[in-house]
Amino acid sequence: MFQPEIESMERGRLEALQLERLNALLARVYANVPTYRAKFDEAGLSPSVASLDELADFPFTVKDDLRAAYPYGMFAVPLHDIVRVHSSSGTTGQITVVGYTRGDIERWSDMMARTLACAGATADDVVQVAYGYGLFTGGLGAHYGAERLGCTTIPISGGNTKRQVQVMKDFGTTVLACTPSYALLMGETALEMGIDPHDLPLKAGVFGAEPWSENMRLQIEELLGLKAIDIYGLSEVLGPGVASECSCQCGLHVNEDHFIIEIVDPATLRPVPDGEQGEVVFTTLTKEGIPVVRYRTRDISRIIPGRCACGRTFRRMERVTGRTDDMLIIRGVNVFPSQIEQVLTGIPGVAPHYQVVLSKRGSMDHVAVHVEVGPDVAFDEIKTLERLRNRVASEIASALAVNLDVKLVEPKSIQRSEGKAKRVLDLRNEGSAES
Ligand code: DLL
């Protein structure tokens, strides 16, 4: 552990620390952020609590609050004290800006150092940071954590995959940090270059920023010959480093000295008991630049009850299966792309590359899953293909209780990603029906 005295703190002490920090946070945002002052006043709440449970009475913060305050309206300190800004990916609508004080960067570096230590990294490791550097939090977040841990840090950013592989080989990379979909592309590219990834000194990967399934983990571990650790975070709350798996690979420890996690029922918005699924909500206890109270992430997860064998006392959240806004409702059934991925990656002959394509057939929405066949399947053997297609369709139907139109496509025909993979292609407003 990077900070064992904190990461394995006794729960009673941890909760006392959270309460103290929560009260300081509420007072801070009430005094310095007009959005919060207005929200608390409207709800008739004074900015203090006697117990952690009382947090559930406070109003939520949503992305639209940040948009309305664009760019700096929700910062709790003057710009003079902000040393860095990042922004969220903003695939839909206006981007949002988040700001960090020097203290925020310090604490973020510690949290990312914890994350890397969770994956088994030490100062003897060579960490290749292939998350994008820039407004995205992935690159610089992982970079500062790797340096904080004392690792030899390669700030290569995303892209130029052949060079990534060459650097991995020549510089002796032992820990790879990138999205899981990019890790897969790196493995494939290495093989194309005649380099067996198992001959590389890689031992661990810290992969996150997008949903990925357990089967995808197994495939990446097999392809690259490393231990794949799931890391989670979001810009509005911090960036990477909010939560991370340890080497037990049994849920992601939330950095609870810095964040309070709640899981709420998406319909009633009331907290659910540990173990039940719902939307993840975070309150930042120590952020100075842009603290948030009860931020609704839209991510779906649950708290895994019980203690972890690793000795950390921070509670664990289950891997995020998807976001409420990525959830497809197909003939009344809720489906996340990552559930489709879990099925596909368990079928031999199918490559772990897929896309869910939404289109219009007349006035009806149509959902098709495009799946690449593996390199060993003869793409011109109609009977083989038909058998494979039927198997994919029937396994999806039995796992998800919905029949989907499955289309097998040629190897390497689905666009590869150097960052977050685009799993859903929405052609419904493009006027052309998808064949
Ligand atoms: O993706 C921060 C990050 C960078 C996390 C590098 C991990 C590694 P945003 O661009 O703001 O920040 O996107 C945040 O990505 O709300 C989730 O929906 C999704 N996400 C992030 N990590 C995971 C993960 C970064 N491990 C949004 N599993 C979040 C599933 C994830 N989804």
Side-chain angles (χ1 to χ4, degrees):
M1 288 183 216
F2 177 64
Q3 294 173 312
E5 68 294 351
I6 302 173
E7 293 171 74
S8 56
M9 194 186 273
E10 192 266 316
R11 291 291 311 176
R13 267 185 63 214
L14 176 63
E15 283 166 20
L17 178 70
Q18 286 187 319
L19 184 61
E20 182 192 315
R21 289 183 169 174
L22 177 59
N23 273 309
L25 164 82
L26 294 173
R28 203 161 68 240
V29 297
Y30 189 77
N32 300 322
V33 185
T35 311
Y36 284 115
R37 177 179 286 264
K39 276 179 186 269
F40 294 2
D41 284 348
E42 194 184 322
L45 293 163
S46 70
S48 75
V49 288
S51 75
L52 291 173
D53 292 343
E54 288 178 27
L55 177 60
D57 299 330
F58 278 77
F60 292 104
T61 307
V62 292
K63 192 150 187 127
D64 277 345
D65 291 319
L66 296 173
R67 289 201 176 117
Y70 178 83
Y72 302 141
M74 283 189 71
F75 286 13
V77 296
L79 271 193
H80 175 83
D81 295 333
I82 297 288
V83 298
R84 169 112 59 88
V85 293
H86 281 287
S87 90
S88 70
S89 7
T91 39
T92 52
Q94 192 183 33
I95 62 168
T96 52
V97 184
V98 289
Y100 302 76
T101 63
R102 197 169 296 286
D104 289 334
I105 300 282
E106 287 293 313
R107 285 180 289 274
W108 187 13
S109 307
D110 282 343
M111 283 185 260
M112 267 313 292
R114 288 180 192 174
T115 293
L116 286 156
C118 260
T122 68
D124 294 326
D125 279 297
V126 179
V127 180
Q128 183 158 336
V129 182
Y131 285 114
Y133 281 61
L135 282 176
F136 177 53
T137 52
L140 283 166
H143 181 105
Y144 273 60
E147 285 194 353
R148 174 59 50 94
L149 193 58
C151 307
T152 307
T153 310
I154 311 175
I156 193 165
S157 194
N160 203 340
T161 312
K162 282 194 173 142
R163 191 170 58 127
Q164 298 268 1
V165 174
Q166 200 61 49
V167 164
M168 225 181 265
K169 181 165 178 267
D170 297 346
F171 295 14
T173 301
T174 53
V175 178
L176 177 62
C178 62
T179 59
S181 52
Y182 197 33
L184 206 56
L185 177 59
M186 291 218 204
E188 286 179 348
T189 307
L191 291 174
E192 280 167 18
M193 292 164 71
I195 296 172
D196 181 349
H198 288 253
D199 293 338
L200 299 171
L202 285 172
K203 68 173 199 196
V206 282
F207 303 136
E210 63 185 8
W212 51 313
S213 60
E214 186 57 31
N215 277 341
M216 179 68 94
R217 186 214 304 273
L218 299 177
Q219 294 215 356
I220 293 174
E221 289 191 329
E222 197 178 303
L223 176 67
L224 290 175
L226 48 64
K227 186 154 191 152
I229 294 294
D230 189 8
I231 72 168
Y232 168 86
L234 62 163
S235 1
E236 292 83 358
V237 171
L238 178 78
V242 174
S244 160
E245 280 183 337
C246 60
S247 53
C248 302
Q249 297 176 311
C250 54
L252 294 86
H253 291 279
V254 177
N255 280 312
E256 288 186 285
D257 54 334
H258 296 293
F259 308 107
I260 292 181
I261 179 171
E262 295 171 88
I263 307 286
V264 302
D265 179 324
T268 64
L269 297 181
R270 293 302 299 172
V272 300
D274 281 6
E276 276 180 35
Q277 243 197 8
E279 181 179 336
V280 184
V281 170
F282 283 111
T283 297
T284 62
L285 294 173
T286 51
K287 281 266 291 286
E288 294 169 338
I290 181 163
V292 286
V293 177
R294 307 196 80 207
Y295 184 75
R296 285 185 63 183
T297 62
R298 307 273 167 189
D299 291 328
I300 299 293
S301 179
R302 68 183 187 103
I303 298 286
I304 300 176
R307 288 279 168 90
C308 182
C310 75
R312 288 178 182 81
T313 47
F314 292 160
R315 286 184 304 165
R316 291 161 297 157
M317 57 188 269
E318 193 172 60
R319 65 146 38 86
V320 167
T321 33
R323 301 170 53 78
T324 47
D325 19 16
D326 283 348
M327 189 178 77
L328 306 165
I329 304 179
I330 305 169
R331 291 184 285 284
V333 180
N334 299 347
V335 176
F336 286 109
S338 66
Q339 291 174 295
I340 298 176
E341 175 184 298
Q342 171 72 5
V343 176
L344 298 177
T345 42
I347 302 176
V350 164
H353 301 290
Y354 68 98
Q355 208 159 34
V356 181
V357 181
L358 309 178
S359 60
K360 278 273 181 217
R361 287 215 173 147
S363 61
M364 297 286 286
D365 282 352
H366 180 253
V367 185
V369 184
H370 290 195
V371 193
E372 268 185 28
V373 299
D376 302 332
V377 175
F379 197 74
D380 45 7
E381 272 181 25
I382 293 176
K383 266 199 180 142
T384 316
L385 282 189
E386 197 46 30
R387 257 200 311 272
L388 188 59
R389 202 196 67 80
N390 288 341
R391 175 160 180 204
V392 172
S394 86
E395 291 208 13
I396 290 180
S398 72
L400 306 180
V402 67
N403 287 309
L404 293 183
D405 188 6
V406 172
K407 185 172 171 188
L408 297 180
V409 299
E410 283 188 61
K412 303 205 190 315
S413 59
I414 289 180
Q415 203 188 352
R416 301 294 191 259
S417 134
E418 297 170 348
K420 296 185 190 240
K422 194 170 164 47
R423 298 299 189 196
V424 179
L425 189 62
D426 191 347
L427 304 175
R428 285 174 299 181
N429 293 324
E430 311 225 329
S432 65
E434 176 262 338
S435 62

